[in-house]
Structure formats: structure tokens, C-alpha cells
Amino acid sequence: MTKLYEEATQLLKDMEEDDMVQIVQYIRTIKLSKNRDKSKAMKAFEKLQTFRGSLPENFDYESVLEEEREKI
């Protein structure tokens, strides 16, 4: 067990039951937020995967990239 985990555990043990409601809600919020971020990233990755293999064999990405950079 890490020192940080031990400290957190001790703080939780020392808290009153009424205060635990807020702590549990906070932890749930953090976990949900991380899950949403992963889900959002996975959806973006899946969308990118749909483009995979859709360019012609002779596609010159360097020239296209250079053209787009010049527009900026």
C-alpha cells in the first residue's frame, strides 16, 4: 500500500458518516468523467478507422499537407 493510499484510508476512517456521502459522490463523479473521456476518445478513434484504406495508392500526402499549410 502506498503512503498516499494509506493517508487517504486513514482520513476516510476518521470522517463522520454524514461527510462520507459527499466523498463517495465526488469519487463517483471522477470515475464517470474518466469513463466518458475514454468513451469519447474511443468513438473518435472508431470514426478515424472508417477512413482507413480509403485513399488511392498513389496519394501524395506530403503535397496535400504542404498545400493546406500554405492556406493558413
Side-chain angles (χ1 to χ4, degrees):
M1 204 180 315
T2 67
K3 292 231 182 239
L4 188 58
Y5 185 84
E6 289 175 9
E7 182 181 355
T9 304
Q10 189 59 48
L11 288 169
L12 289 171
K13 286 179 182 177
D14 294 343
M15 291 186 90
E16 294 182 23
E17 190 74 23
D18 293 345
D19 297 331
M20 292 296 285
V21 173
Q22 292 174 324
I23 299 301
V24 169
Q25 186 59 40
Y26 178 71
I27 293 170
R28 285 181 180 151
T29 301
I30 291 171
K31 288 186 76 167
L32 283 174
S33 175
K34 287 185 178 186
N35 287 340
R36 276 191 220 122
D37 290 345
K38 287 180 185 177
S39 176
K40 192 175 181 181
M42 186 53 86
K43 285 179 185 175
F45 176 72
E46 288 170 354
K47 185 173 183 174
L48 283 174
Q49 288 291 84
T50 63
F51 295 108
R52 193 170 134 199
S54 63
L55 295 174
E57 289 283 329
N58 60 349
F59 182 75
D60 184 10
Y61 75 92
E62 289 178 352
S63 65
V64 173
L65 179 60
E66 188 58 36
E67 288 174 20
E68 291 300 317
R69 285 182 176 160
E70 289 173 3
K71 290 180 183 178
I72 297 176

